[in-house]
Amino acid sequence: MKNLIDLKGKVTLITGASRGIGKATALLFARAGSDLVINYFRNRKEAEKVASIAKTRDVQVEIYKADVSSKSQCEKMVDFTFKKFGKIDILVNNTGIWKYAPIDKMTVSQLKETLSLNLESIFYLTAKVVPLMKKQGGGNIINISSTAGQRGEAYHSHYAATKGAIISLTKSLSTELASYNIRVNCVAPGWVDTDMSHSSLIGKDRKWILDQIPLKRAAEPEEIAGAILFLASDLATFITGEIINVNGGAVLCG
Ligand code: NAD
């Protein structure tokens, strides 16, 4: 009998998948039967580990090194995926950086790094996969935003601006691409315990952070991956242009 969520025969490209939310997503998608391209930037060993766990689910897995802030590297990665598998069904734009920068101290290079990695990368990858998805009769794009994109974030205004832009980009592309059977959705996590946020979650701000989350804890990466998988699945075939908040209720209190 077919599983309720079954990605067998699907091909998924996930950016920043050697750790954190990207890793959890890769492993969950492998459990659901999807073949994978796991993008990493620096840590090949960690990417190999993720790939070897994923392969125990009897799926095909490739790892691919690319700096997603580079247009040409994004394009080469999509070409690689297409050559290897002959299609790309699902693109998960997960990569992101979150750096402290008060507005009057923010350098131009800090600003550009965040804009380019968090936002431009999504334009590069999406622009390259869309013609392939159009040709193959459909596809699924899932972007990772943040509560910061909805309510802003002090000292991280560049980050929050990219995450807000990801929400409007998702909505724009969902209507632009709907007639091609390409769904475009977004998951907006609140605090998640990953390398990105761990030092804040165990530091002096811990109490202040947890006080703003009705569920009184940060998410595990797997809890974000669940929402991403749902959007990629056939349970979500009528959902496009949607932002799924996964934040323990936090956005209600911010
Ligand atoms: P993370 O730091 O563990 O993962 C980020 C990934 O991006 C890493 O695998 C890293 O290697 C990769 N990366 C960094 N620079 C890259 C580059 N130039 N090219 C390719 N890959 C690169 O953080 P995470 O928490 O797993 O974050 C995943 C996504 O979730 C991000 O978009 C982040 O903004 C978002 N998010 C995280 C939280 C949180 O609390 N952790 C909250 C809201 C949203």
Side-chain angles (χ1 to χ4, degrees):
M1 199 177 72
K2 204 176 163 203
N3 288 331
L4 199 52
I5 290 187
D6 186 357
L7 298 186
K8 254 189 200 86
K10 302 280 186 197
V11 176
T12 306
L13 168 59
I14 308 174
T15 62
S18 64
R19 68 183 201 196
I21 294 168
K23 171 182 174 180
T25 304
L27 296 180
L28 196 63
F29 273 51
R31 271 179 69 182
S34 179
D35 296 329
L36 294 171
V37 173
I38 290 172
N39 160 245
Y40 72 99
F41 180 36
R42 290 204 178 86
N43 203 331
R44 185 176 181 92
K45 270 209 173 118
E46 287 306 311
E48 280 171 348
K49 271 193 214 160
V50 178
S52 76
I53 302 171
K55 279 178 187 164
T56 63
R57 300 290 178 174
D58 204 21
V59 294
Q60 283 190 64
V61 185
E62 299 288 338
I63 62 169
Y64 192 92
K65 179 182 167 73
D67 174 356
V68 298
S69 63
S70 152
K71 183 170 185 280
S72 66
Q73 290 187 39
C74 285
E75 291 177 347
K76 280 183 189 147
M77 179 159 67
V78 173
D79 283 339
F80 168 85
T81 306
F82 192 72
K83 266 189 203 130
K84 210 76 207 171
F85 293 101
K87 60 176 187 160
I88 301 181
D89 299 292
I90 301 158
L91 168 65
V92 181
N93 286 310
N94 165 71
T95 305
I97 49 167
W98 177 69
K99 295 193 178 172
Y100 177 84
I103 189 68
D104 51 348
K105 303 262 164 35
M106 192 186 295
T107 64
V108 170
S109 78
Q110 284 173 327
L111 173 62
K112 288 198 165 158
E113 181 192 25
T114 295
L115 293 180
S116 143
L117 190 61
N118 290 10
L119 184 60
E120 288 175 21
S121 63
I122 301 184
F123 279 88
Y124 302 148
L125 286 160
T126 305
K128 185 71 181 171
V129 300
V130 158
L132 305 172
M133 288 180 170
K134 280 182 179 174
K135 252 191 214 158
Q136 73 199 17
N140 220 309
I141 298 168
I142 297 148
N143 300 321
I144 308 305
S145 176
S146 167
T147 48
Q150 298 166 80
R151 65 183 192 197
E153 187 170 12
Y155 308 111
H156 296 86
S157 56
H158 53 347
Y159 175 83
T162 61
K163 295 299 182 178
I166 288 170
I167 290 174
S168 50
L169 173 63
T170 299
K171 293 183 178 184
S172 307
L173 294 182
S174 67
T175 49
E176 184 173 326
L177 300 172
S179 62
Y180 299 97
N181 192 31
I182 300 172
R183 293 191 292 113
V184 188
N185 287 295
C186 176
V187 172
W191 286 95
V192 190
D193 195 357
T194 65
D195 288 327
M196 176 181 279
S197 52
H198 189 68
S199 59
S200 301
L201 288 170
I202 58 167
K204 62 176 173 36
D205 291 335
R206 178 180 170 78
K207 184 177 172 336
W208 176 81
I209 291 169
L210 297 187
D211 278 350
Q212 293 178 56
I213 306 172
L215 289 180
K216 296 295 170 218
R217 64 178 178 85
E220 294 301 324
E222 291 73 17
E223 294 178 289
I224 311 304
I228 300 170
L229 177 64
F230 165 70
L231 287 172
S233 78
D234 281 353
L235 295 179
T237 44
F238 204 52
I239 300 179
T240 195
E242 197 52 71
I243 316 304
I244 297 202
N245 288 305
V246 188
N247 57 38
V251 96
L252 302 170
C253 303

